[in-house]
Amino acid sequence: MGLADLHLHTIYSYDGTASLAAVLSHAKQAGLDVIAITDHDEIAGALKAMELAPAYGVELIPGIEITTADGDLLALFITEKVDAGLSLVETVLRVRELGGVCIAPHPMAGGMGMKSLSAKTILKALRNPQVAETLIGIETYNASALDRISNHYASILANRLDIAHVGNSDAHVVDAIGLGATEFEGNTAADLLIALKNKTTKVRRQKEWSAFRIISSWGMSYMGSAFVRITGLARA
């Protein structure tokens, strides 16, 4: 079985704290075969990481966490930036044009600045056949969610929709990478995509962090990365 974490942030995100090298190194240590870097409304880090990933023995999927008018959306397998602020349907169709697929991250979750899609919005969007072919998974386990009950509700929603279940860390610090992950048959990004479309993925939960640890670890790491942000030093 392969293992993937498809929701990772780096210092290319406004709230990320980890360099690309640190993310790739920790992903390998965590036993991940495939990762996706999904910085907020930014793809530059993911594209740079594609060049670095082979040296670390991890396969990288380029992506973005897009701020749609209706809530956050993960876009995977794309190499172009997608504008923020469009509706969910418009955003998914744009990702489709670019050859990518989408996952709904932390639906119905709140806290820590999360801008989550509602169940109603997802249900309505999936009535569009092209959206349904492109929005192929729901994040039913987000290891960084402070609102843990939202993971339960997300799982119920995914079962109702008969859509792939995805587990991710939503890591903003390196130590959180792999705390939530997705199991799939095979070990490549191509295998993962097939598993998502066939709805055969499984969620893997590692040891959960407390809400205090999530907040405090992010705060400490964010302060440590402030110098890089202020000086504009190389972010690899």
Side-chain angles (χ1 to χ4, degrees):
M1 296 289 286
L3 197 62
D5 190 345
L6 303 176
H7 191 171
L8 299 174
H9 295 278
T10 75
I11 51 177
Y12 285 77
S13 276
Y14 68 87
D15 58 354
T17 66
S19 69
L20 300 179
V23 167
L24 292 166
S25 177
H26 278 256
K28 181 64 175 178
Q29 293 174 26
L32 296 166
D33 300 290
V34 179
I35 65 170
I37 287 180
T38 54
D39 289 314
H40 293 288
D41 300 316
E42 180 57 74
I43 200 168
L47 297 180
K48 177 68 174 178
M50 287 183 70
E51 302 172 8
L52 303 174
Y56 291 86
V58 177
E59 189 170 2
L60 187 125
I61 297 171
I64 313 175
E65 184 168 13
I66 304 168
T67 307
T68 80
D70 301 304
D72 292 338
L73 179 72
L74 296 181
L76 306 177
F77 296 99
I78 62 172
T79 56
E80 293 182 33
K81 193 172 178 178
V82 176
D83 290 338
L86 301 174
S87 71
L88 174 60
V89 170
E90 290 173 316
T91 306
V92 173
L93 294 180
R94 176 58 181 149
V95 173
R96 179 184 176 86
E97 290 174 0
L98 295 174
V101 297
C102 298
I103 292 170
H106 50 70
M108 299 171 281
M112 285 289 285
M114 283 184 171
K115 305 175 186 70
S116 302
L117 296 166
S118 69
K120 181 178 179 180
T121 298
I122 295 171
L123 286 164
K124 184 177 179 180
L126 289 174
R127 293 173 188 164
N128 182 312
Q130 290 187 320
V131 170
E133 290 178 359
T134 310
L135 178 52
I136 59 174
I138 288 179
E139 191 177 75
T140 58
Y141 181 66
N142 179 300
S144 296
L146 300 180
D147 177 15
R148 295 301 170 91
I149 192 66
S150 64
N151 286 324
H152 174 66
Y153 291 141
S155 183
I156 292 173
L157 179 63
N159 286 334
R160 175 182 173 183
L161 296 175
D162 190 25
I163 196 171
H165 289 242
V166 178
N168 291 321
S169 67
D170 192 3
H172 289 72
V173 299
V174 291
D175 289 342
I177 293 171
L179 289 181
T182 302
E183 294 182 354
F184 61 98
E185 290 289 344
N187 54 26
T188 70
D191 294 330
L192 171 64
L193 184 57
I194 291 171
L196 287 168
K197 290 181 177 180
N198 289 339
K199 310 165 202 172
T200 58
T201 52
K202 296 181 180 179
V203 168
R204 178 183 293 187
R205 302 184 181 205
Q206 308 290 18
K207 185 177 180 180
E208 289 189 346
W209 284 7
S210 66
F212 174 79
R213 185 174 180 185
I214 292 171
I215 295 172
S216 61
S217 64
W218 176 83
M220 293 176 64
S221 296
Y222 189 81
M223 290 177 63
S225 66
F227 181 73
V228 174
R229 298 172 185 280
I230 292 171
T231 59
L233 295 177
R235 296 194 272 189

